[in-house]
Amino acid sequence: MGTRALRANRAEPGSALGTFLLALGTLARLADSMAGTAPPLVALLQPRSRHTQGFSQSDAWDLPVQELAQLLPGARLEPRRNHTVCILEDADEAVAQRACARSILTHSLYAVAGCGACLQDALVESRAGPTSRVRVCVATLTVLDLRRPYLSRSEAAELVSGVAHALCALQGLPEGELAADTLLLDAGSHFTFARRVGVGLAGGAGVPGSRPRRRFAGVLGKFALKERPFCMATTMEPELAFLMASLAGVGPGARVLDACCGSGGLLLCAAALGAARLVGMDTDPEAIAGAASNFAFYSLGQPPEATVTLHLADILRPAASPALDGARGTFDAIVCDPPYGMATRVSAGGSVRATSVEPGQARVQVAEVTRALLQLALLALAPGGRLVFFLPLRGSDAHLDGAGVLALLQAWTPDELRSGLGLLISKKQTFSPTFARWLLVMER
C-alpha cells in the first residue's frame, strides 16, 4: 500500500482503512493541544457493566469521567465519543498514572505521540512541527479499534504494513523523543500513535469490551463474591465497592468507616486501595464474624500495614457507638450501603438464613438510617472528609429526579445536619419502575 493511497483515505470514511473506527473524538483539537507542550494523555474508559447498567440510562455514561475528576483534581478532562474516551490536559503523567492505577472505571492510559488524518501525518511529532517523526517499532506495534474490540489479524497486518510504508516515506526526518507502541484508529480514517503508560484496576491490554457483562479482570476477579468465605445477598459487588472507595478519596493511609458493614465488602476494597485504619459497624453478630473471616481470607487489615476493627453497634445510635471512642472527627471517609428494607439472604458455609422488613416500614427505616448516617458523618469525618453512600427509593419515590431527591433529604434531615455536608455527586441507578437508588457523594 503506497503513500498516495494512505493519503487518499483521509477523506474516504468508507474505504478499507476508514472502516477501522476508534473513538478519540476531534483529533484536530488533540493536535492543537500538543503544540509546544508535553504530549496529552488519553484514557480509555470502561463501558457500562452488568452492575453499572442502571446508571444514567437517559444520559451519557459519565461515571468514569467523574471518578477520574476526583482522582485528578485540577486536570482538565475532555470526554469524547459518548464518554468512552477522555483527553487529559494539564495533567502530569506520573500523577495520571497513579490515578489510573486507583481507578476501577479507567481501562488504560496512553501518552499521545502523534495524530493525523493519514498515517504519514500521524507519524510526525505534533508538538514540535514537521522536524522529527515518532519512534515506532513496526514488529511490536499494537493496533486497537474501540468500535470493534476484536480486530482480525489480517486487518491489523494491513495497517501495520501501511505504517511501514509511511515510515519509509519519512526517512528524511530524524526520530524524535516521543515513542509509540500502539496505533489507535479514529472515526473518519484518523490515526493516533500513542504509548500505553497505565492500566486501571480492572483494565488490561487491548480494548474495553462493549457489552454490559459481569467483569472479572484485575482486582474484580480476586475480590469476586464467589471467592469469599462469607457473603450476603446485599453484599456490594466489587466494581461498585471500588468505585465508592475511589469517589471517597480512599488511598494509602486513609481512615475509613462503614456504619453498616455487613460482610465487609466496602471495607475490603478500601483496604485494597491502601487504607490504614478500617472500622466497621453492624447490628448482626453473624455479619461481623463473617466480615472478620473475609479480612483473614485476603490477609488485609493486618498490622503493621493496616488495622481493622469491627463493632457490634447500631447506626441509629451513632453517638453511642464504640467506633467513635476517641476518634471523633478523625475519619477521612465513610463508605456505606445502608439497609434497603428488603428481604436478605445470608450464606455462610452452606447454610442460609433469611431476614425481612415489613414493606410499610421500608420508607420509614430508610429515612431514619439516612438521618443517622448524616449525623454520624458530622461526628466522625475530619474537615474535607467524604461520605459516599447509596440512598434506596421504592414506589413513587423511585421516579424522583435530582431535585426531588434533594427535597426528600431536606424533608428527612434537620438543617444543621445538611449544612455541614456539601453534595458533590448524585447519580441515579434504576432497577425497575418501582425501585431505584442514588449514589451520593458528600463532603464535610
Side-chain angles (χ1 to χ4, degrees), residues 84-100:
T84 59
V85 172
C86 187
I87 298 174
L88 282 61
E89 296 191 33
D90 305 322
D92 178 78
E93 183 175 313
V95 174
Q97 286 176 323
R98 291 193 293 271
C100 178

Side-chain angles (χ1 to χ4, degrees), residues 6 21 37 39 49 71 97 122 141 169 206 224 230-231 237 309 333 435 441:
L6 290 173
L21 303 176
T37 66
S49 71
L71 295 171
Q97 286 176 323
L141 185 67
F230 181 86
C231 260
E237 286 286 341
T309 308
F435 178 55
V441 181

Side-chain angles (χ1 to χ4, degrees), residues 218-396:
V219 297
L220 298 185
K222 177 180 178 180
F223 289 95
L225 301 188
K226 64 181 180 180
E227 302 295 332
R228 303 180 192 180
F230 181 86
C231 260
M232 306 169 71
T234 55
T235 299
M236 184 67 67
E237 286 286 341
E239 183 175 26
L240 287 173
F242 274 105
L243 175 62
M244 292 176 71
S246 179
L247 293 176
V250 174
R255 300 157 296 180
V256 184
L257 170 65
D258 184 353
C260 302
C261 67
S263 63
L266 294 176
L267 291 176
L268 279 175
C269 294
L273 290 176
R277 182 170 177 242
L278 303 129
V279 178
M281 298 165 46
D282 206 279
T283 57
D284 187 345
E286 187 176 356
I288 291 292
S293 69
N294 286 336
F295 272 97
F297 178 77
Y298 286 104
S299 299
L300 290 172
Q302 299 183 3
E305 290 80 12
T307 60
V308 59
T309 308
L310 302 171
H311 298 276
L312 193 62
D314 190 349
I315 187 177
L316 296 179
R317 295 188 300 159
S321 170
L324 294 183
D325 288 347
R328 297 194 178 196
T330 62
F331 286 96
D332 302 301
I334 297 176
V335 289
C336 189
D337 187 31
Y340 292 7
M342 303 171 69
T344 302
R345 287 165 55 87
V346 181
S347 174
S351 64
V352 176
R353 175 174 58 82
T355 64
S356 63
V357 175
E358 290 295 328
Q361 296 296 316
R363 193 175 193 267
V364 174
Q365 183 190 69
V366 169
E368 290 178 345
V369 171
T370 301
R371 185 161 46 248
L373 185 57
L374 295 182
Q375 181 182 353
L376 178 65
L378 289 178
L379 289 171
L381 285 177
R386 290 191 176 183
L387 166 65
V388 180
F389 70 104
F390 273 106
L391 175 67
L393 299 176
R394 303 170 72 180
S396 60

Side-chain angles (χ1 to χ4, degrees), residues 187-212:
S189 301
H190 288 118
F191 304 90
T192 299
F193 287 93
R195 174 174 51 92
R196 192 175 73 174
V197 295
V199 175
L201 287 171
V207 175
S210 57
R211 296 181 180 179

Side-chain angles (χ1 to χ4, degrees), residues 7 19 26 55 117 120 168 197 205 213 236 242 289 303 332 351:
R7 285 190 174 277
T19 59
T26 307
F55 281 107
Q120 186 170 320
C168 290
V197 295
R213 297 174 175 172
M236 184 67 67
F242 274 105
D332 302 301
S351 64

Side-chain angles (χ1 to χ4, degrees), residues 65-152:
V65 176
Q66 291 198 349
E67 184 195 21
L68 267 182
Q70 302 304 310
L71 295 171
L72 288 170
R76 187 151 53 98
L77 308 181
E78 297 188 13
R80 293 283 188 266
R81 187 73 181 186
N82 197 28
H83 292 73
T84 59
V85 172
C86 187
I87 298 174
L88 282 61
E89 296 191 33
D90 305 322
D92 178 78
E93 183 175 313
V95 174
Q97 286 176 323
R98 291 193 293 271
C100 178
R102 291 173 52 200
S103 170
I104 196 66
L105 296 183
T106 300
H107 178 273
S108 48
L109 183 70
Y110 290 83
V112 175
C115 55
C118 67
L119 286 172
Q120 186 170 320
D121 290 347
L123 282 167
V124 176
E125 284 192 0
S126 302
R127 68 170 183 170
T131 59
S132 59
R133 59 183 170 87
V134 177
R135 291 188 287 118
V136 176
C137 178
V138 175
T140 59
L141 185 67
T142 299
V143 180
L144 297 184
D145 183 337
L146 294 189
R147 281 285 298 271
R148 296 193 304 162
Y150 306 104
L151 200 64
S152 71

